[in-house]
Amino acid sequence: MAAHNVLEACAQTNTVDKVVFTSSLTAVVWSNHRDNPTSHDFDERNCSDVNLCKKFKLWHGLSKTLAEKTAWALAMDRGLSMVSINGGLVMGPDVTISNPYLKGAAEMYEDGVMASVDPRFYVDSHICVFEDVSSYGVISASTTSSTATKTP
């Protein structure tokens, strides 16, 4: 609901040129393509499978997927320029193996889509995307990964 409210507010003003939406890699990596994960496209048309997230109780991925789907639907409907930055696991001193955010991390690693991001790099990627008037779509941000893609 928050994503909807923010995008709706942006659509109702003449001063917003672009929305930079902060999301997560978990919004695009959970699909039934586990047999060939490298063929999975990471863009605004290919979000994580909601039913798969529910089945395996991947609540973080589910919430990020639903928020991103809502944001893209509204941005396209209202003609807003939007970029979604889907960051990997934000590394910091409070992230431990018992953190529920890490649920599914082993499977992501197996599928070659486990990625981490330094908070400074994540901030810099937001600034670069905001300043680049031609940026659009989904950008995966990570400082260490087995995959990092930019979809035009």
Side-chain angles (χ1 to χ4, degrees), residues 55-67:
K55 179 180 176 183
F56 292 104
K57 300 180 181 179
L58 300 166
W59 306 127
H60 180 265
L62 177 64
S63 66
K64 290 297 187 177
T65 301
L66 294 175

Side-chain angles (χ1 to χ4, degrees), residues 59-117:
W59 306 127
H60 180 265
L62 177 64
S63 66
K64 290 297 187 177
T65 301
L66 294 175
E68 190 159 334
K69 281 184 170 193
T70 298
W72 276 112
L74 195 55
M76 289 178 184
D77 184 57
R78 301 288 195 275
L80 288 170
S81 174
M82 187 173 112
V83 177
S84 176
I85 299 181
N86 296 60
L89 174 64
V90 178
M91 297 306 291
D94 295 330
V95 178
T96 66
I97 199 66
S98 62
N99 189 316
Y101 177 67
L102 293 178
K103 183 167 178 67
E107 291 83 355
M108 290 174 70
Y109 183 78
E110 272 179 37
D111 290 349
V113 293
M114 180 64 179
S116 64
V117 64

Side-chain angles (χ1 to χ4, degrees), residues 38-49:
T38 56
S39 71
H40 185 75
D41 293 325
F42 298 113
D43 65 23
E44 64 277 7
R45 298 171 308 234
N46 299 296
C47 290
S48 289
D49 184 297

